[in-house]
């Protein structure tokens, strides 16, 4: 996550500092870091909420950091710097007498705690540069925050010279978070990260630890340009080809961009839904649930000519990234669509209750409920369809379903799925009557 856009620069930076210190507090046992900060008069009375998943920092914390003066800022940095130089923190004892903090003992800082402390120091330094630019650095080490004016190429040289390259990256990431509103800085982060991967000197470095940073920076740049992360990431990644360390992640971004475009097309032209379902781009529910394939992209391009240029870009990128040729979300035939709906009912209802109900009515084979080929009939001609409608209507009226031979009440979400199946089935029948869906030629 990044700090929320909006508010004053002081709001953004204050929340950045609070969040950075909260990260340290989370990394330390039993909120011991916050306890020591508070004892030193370097934190508000209210405690940090380490369990928060968003940056809706408590008002007391934001107010505290907005009122912070240079003296307190220096004292906070000195407090953290002292811990780093000492290289240790207090011990959390878990014995037969119960767990407790033993402030008479210390242990060596773990890499996680050390990174959290340095990230907090970088946040404080960023705060200092913003609010007290004429003052010198808060600590003796060369802060990454002070390197903001350097180019991505200069960062790359510093990275080469760094004895702890992972820490160098963590420092850069800490400053990037606090400076989320600085779009030029976010672009520089992307330039640096992609320049590093292009050299191939550290295979795999863009794993789960660093992909979030690239994605977050791309997200900030995309929002500023009123576009999507895919548009920001694609040119850089495609230059490196399918061997790029983030090629797989870019495929995911391509799929999101594809789904977004489908949603945009349906918002402006709801009538396009029929064509997308009939072409197998969307499933019979009218949703994009399948794996992204070249077949789906090409079918969508044909159905949505108003987005021709965009789909040409998607297809070109997909080919270069090695996206599978694959198939469609569902075979564009009536019987295949019906079987898809019935299998979806099995997947969404509890246990095998939906399939059991169909089997008792002679509308599905016994067992193999999850197998679209073996669990259901190859064809659903008019007589079978009438029976299917009767069963679905009966479920709707009674609100009950079978688990084996035992009848039970349907759950709320099951009723919603049933309604969706009924609506989707009627749409498939209409599309077949209109000649937009072929009927399977297989025998029942």
């Amino acid at each position: 996550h990044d700090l929320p856009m909006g508010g004053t620069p002081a709001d953004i930076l204050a929340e950045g500092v609070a969040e950075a210190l909260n990260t340290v507090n989370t990394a330390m046992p039993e909120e011991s870091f916050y306890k020591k900060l508070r004892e030193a008069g370097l934190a508000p009375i209210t405690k940090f909420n380490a369990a928060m998943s968003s940056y809706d920092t408590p008002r007391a914390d934001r107010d505290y950091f907005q009122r912070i003066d240079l003296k307190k800022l220096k004292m906070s940095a000195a407090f953290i710097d002292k811990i780093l130089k000492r290289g240790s923190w207090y011990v959390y004892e878990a014995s037969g007498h119960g767990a407790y903090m033993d402030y008479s003992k210390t242990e060596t800082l773990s890499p996680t705690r050390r990174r959290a402390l340095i990230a907090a120091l970088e946040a404080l330094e960023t705060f200092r540069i913003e609010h007290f630019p004429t003052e010198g650095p808060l600590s003796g080490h060369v802060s990454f925050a002070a390197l903001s004016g350097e180019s991505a190429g200069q960062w790359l040289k510093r990275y080469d010279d760094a004895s702890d390259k992972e820490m160098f990256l963590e420092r850069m990431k800490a400053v990037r978070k606090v400076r989320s509103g600085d779009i030029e800085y976010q672009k520089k982060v992307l330039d640096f990260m992609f320049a590093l991967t292009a050299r191939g000197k550290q295979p795999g470095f863009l794993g789960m630890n660093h992909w979030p940073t690239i994605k977050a920076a791309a997200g900030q740049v995309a929002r500023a340009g009123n576009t999507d992360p895919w548009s920001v990431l694609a040119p850089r990644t495609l230059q490196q080809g399918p061997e790029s360390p983030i090629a797989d992640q870019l495929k995911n971004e391509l799929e999101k961009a594809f789904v977004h475009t489908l949603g945009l097309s349906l918002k402006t032209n709801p009538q396009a839904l029929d064509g997308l379902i009939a072409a197998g781009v969307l499933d019979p529910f009218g949703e994009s649930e399948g794996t992204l394939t070249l077949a789906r992209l090409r079918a969508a391009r044909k159905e949505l000519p108003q987005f021709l240029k965009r789909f040409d870009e998607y297809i070109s990128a997909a080919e270069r990234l090695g996206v599978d040729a694959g198939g469609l979300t569902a075979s564009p035939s009536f019987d295949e669509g019906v079987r898809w709906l019935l299998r979806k009912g099995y997947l969404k209802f509890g246990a095998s209750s939906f399939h059991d109900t169909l089997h008792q009515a002679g509308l599905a084979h016994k067992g193999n409920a999850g197998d679209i080929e073996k669990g259901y009939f190859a064809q659903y001609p008019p007589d079978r369809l009438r029976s299917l409608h009767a069963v679905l209507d009966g479920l709707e009226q009674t609100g009950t379903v079978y688990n084996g031979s035992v009848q039970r009440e349907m759950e709320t979400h099951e009723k919603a799925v049933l309604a969706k199946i009924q609506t989707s089935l009627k749409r498939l029948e209409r599309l077949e009557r209109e000649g937009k869906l072929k009927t399977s030629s297989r025998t029942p």
Side-chain angles (χ1 to χ4, degrees):
H1 297 290
D2 273 332
L3 299 173
M5 297 299 290
T8 66
D11 282 332
I12 293 174
L13 282 170
E15 292 195 22
V17 174
E19 196 275 328
L21 293 178
N22 191 33
T23 300
V24 179
N25 188 54
T26 304
M28 300 300 190
E30 293 295 296
E31 297 190 346
S32 51
F33 178 76
Y34 187 81
K35 179 178 184 296
K36 290 298 180 181
L37 266 182
R38 192 171 58 238
E39 287 176 359
L42 298 174
I45 300 298
T46 57
K47 69 178 183 178
F48 289 113
N49 187 347
M52 279 191 169
S53 59
S54 71
Y55 292 109
D56 185 18
T57 313
R59 184 76 247 176
D61 288 354
R62 290 204 301 272
D63 288 347
Y64 169 80
F65 287 110
Q66 286 172 322
R67 292 195 307 270
I68 198 168
D69 56 18
L70 182 61
K71 180 181 178 182
K72 277 190 175 179
L73 195 62
K74 287 182 175 180
M75 288 173 65
S76 298
F79 181 86
I80 294 173
D81 209 24
K82 184 177 180 180
I83 299 170
L84 286 166
K85 288 175 180 176
R86 189 176 66 208
S88 62
W89 190 248
Y90 303 103
V91 174
Y92 179 65
E93 294 282 7
S95 65
H97 302 291
Y100 63 96
M101 287 299 303
D102 188 343
Y103 290 100
S104 67
K105 297 179 182 178
T106 60
E107 61 185 355
T108 302
L109 287 171
S110 67
T112 298
R113 291 175 181 174
R114 183 167 175 264
R115 283 195 293 270
L117 285 161
I118 288 187
L121 204 55
E122 291 289 358
L124 291 173
E125 184 62 18
T126 305
F127 194 94
R128 193 274 308 168
I129 291 173
E130 178 71 17
H131 291 274
F132 308 102
T134 60
E135 295 291 332
L138 295 174
S139 64
H141 82 288
V142 178
S143 167
F144 200 94
L147 309 180
S148 303
E150 294 188 350
S151 67
Q154 289 172 306
W155 287 359
L156 202 60
K157 186 177 185 307
R158 287 185 181 275
Y159 173 84
D160 287 337
D161 295 340
S163 57
D164 188 339
K165 291 178 170 51
E166 185 67 22
M167 184 57 68
F168 183 92
L169 292 171
E170 290 298 324
R171 290 167 58 196
M172 180 204 69
K173 286 158 63 176
V175 177
R176 190 214 65 78
K177 252 187 182 180
V178 180
R179 298 189 60 170
S180 60
D182 185 340
I183 302 306
E184 292 306 312
Y185 193 86
Q186 304 299 311
K187 289 179 180 178
K188 199 180 300 185
V189 168
L190 290 174
D191 290 342
F192 166 73
M193 297 294 257
F194 275 94
L196 191 58
T197 62
R199 292 164 33 171
K201 284 192 173 183
Q202 197 174 351
F205 111 97
L206 280 175
M208 292 306 294
N209 287 340
H210 302 300
W211 165 245
T213 296
I214 292 178
K215 184 177 179 180
Q220 295 291 354
V221 174
R223 278 190 287 275
N226 196 28
T227 183
D228 53 26
W230 155 260
S231 302
V232 175
L233 292 168
R236 290 176 167 88
T237 308
L238 292 175
Q239 284 181 357
Q240 299 178 7
E243 295 77 24
S244 168
I246 65 166
D248 286 341
Q249 287 90 339
L250 190 65
K251 289 179 187 177
N252 293 334
E253 293 303 316
L254 172 56
E255 183 161 6
K256 290 177 185 177
F258 172 58
V259 171
H260 174 75
T261 299
L262 293 179
L264 183 62
S265 71
L266 292 175
K267 186 175 181 180
T268 56
N269 181 23
Q271 290 75 24
L273 179 63
D274 285 355
L276 291 171
I277 291 175
V281 177
L282 297 178
D283 62 39
F285 269 2
E287 298 172 355
S288 179
E289 192 178 78
T291 303
L292 181 68
T293 63
L294 284 168
R296 287 184 68 202
L297 285 169
R298 288 168 180 153
R301 179 184 183 276
K302 185 177 180 181
E303 292 297 321
L304 302 171
Q306 69 271 39
F307 292 102
L308 203 61
K309 182 179 179 182
R310 189 176 301 189
F311 278 114
D312 282 342
E313 293 174 357
Y314 291 167
I315 291 168
S316 174
E319 289 172 339
R320 293 170 67 182
L321 288 170
V323 170
D324 292 339
L328 301 167
T329 296
S331 176
S333 75
F334 174 74
D335 294 298
E336 191 81 6
V338 174
R339 292 190 297 164
W340 187 96
L341 288 175
L342 300 184
R343 179 176 176 273
K344 179 63 73 171
Y346 156 71
L347 294 172
K348 295 292 186 179
F349 274 62
S352 60
S353 55
F354 187 77
H355 185 266
D356 289 346
T357 301
L358 294 176
H359 173 61
Q360 287 195 15
L363 293 168
H365 297 306
K366 184 177 181 179
N368 298 303
D371 191 323
I372 200 169
E373 299 288 341
K374 297 178 180 179
Y376 308 89
F377 292 106
Q379 286 185 329
Y380 284 84
D383 287 349
R384 196 169 278 157
L385 270 177
R386 280 192 290 272
S387 297
L388 177 56
H389 277 297
V391 169
L392 297 178
D393 290 344
L395 291 177
E396 180 184 20
Q397 292 166 9
T398 64
T400 61
V401 71
Y402 281 96
N403 267 357
S405 59
V406 180
Q407 201 171 21
R408 68 166 176 83
E409 292 287 330
M410 280 195 289
E411 302 287 342
T412 301
H413 79 276
E414 293 173 331
K415 292 178 181 178
V417 172
L418 174 64
K420 202 164 189 178
I421 290 173
Q422 290 174 296
T423 300
S424 301
L425 179 59
K426 290 174 183 175
R427 180 167 51 219
L428 290 179
E429 291 176 287
R430 176 174 56 78
L431 291 175
E432 185 193 29
R433 287 195 303 270
E434 294 172 354
K436 296 177 181 177
L437 278 178
K438 63 182 180 180
T439 303
S440 173
S441 60
R442 287 174 292 192
T443 56

